[in-house]
Amino acid sequence: MKTINYLDVTLDLTSGQYYPYSKPNSIPLYVNSKSNHPPQIIRNLPSSINRRLSDLSSNEAVFNKVAPTYQQALNDSKPLVQQCNGYLPQRFCQQRIAREDRSFIQ
């Protein structure tokens, strides 16, 4: 089986799937909700993680396989926000990015 780990994604060249990569025994850590970060940073953390995992997952099954690790890290950091909402198809992410790009053009 040919797989390549590149930055934070693993590419499976035989099946064409890709999924988030993390080093063995690596535990994701996030900013604690009681830290001195701006509130919008803490509030947007779950949606940012959700978008990142969706972008790095080739399908919903892959997303559902890796999401519990990141959800546990969010729970441990005690953020005051919701869980990872679920897999976001690439089409949705691309539309959202395009919409965000338009909001800065004035």
Side-chain angles (χ1 to χ4, degrees), residues 53-74:
L53 288 179
S54 292
D55 289 345
L56 295 178
S57 300
S58 58
N59 57 44
E60 189 171 0
V62 171
F63 175 87
N64 291 333
K65 184 178 176 183
V66 299
T69 303
Y70 294 90
Q71 185 59 56
Q72 184 60 45
L74 277 175

Side-chain angles (χ1 to χ4, degrees), residues 17-61:
Q17 290 191 340
Y18 51 94
Y19 46 91
Y21 169 75
S22 62
K23 292 181 180 180
N25 300 324
S26 173
I27 300 171
L29 298 174
Y30 296 110
V31 176
N32 190 291
S33 63
K34 305 230 184 293
S35 72
N36 196 22
H37 285 74
Q40 62 269 24
I41 298 295
I42 294 170
R43 189 173 48 247
N44 290 327
L45 191 59
S47 62
S48 297
I49 294 166
N50 193 52
R51 187 171 43 239
R52 177 182 167 273
L53 288 179
S54 292
D55 289 345
L56 295 178
S57 300
S58 58
N59 57 44
E60 189 171 0

Side-chain angles (χ1 to χ4, degrees), residues 6 8 12 21 28 33 38 45 53 71 76 83 87-88 99:
Y6 181 72
D8 60 349
D12 186 346
Y21 169 75
S33 63
L45 191 59
L53 288 179
Q71 185 59 56
D76 292 345
Q83 300 179 347
Y87 178 71
L88 299 172
R99 189 170 52 239

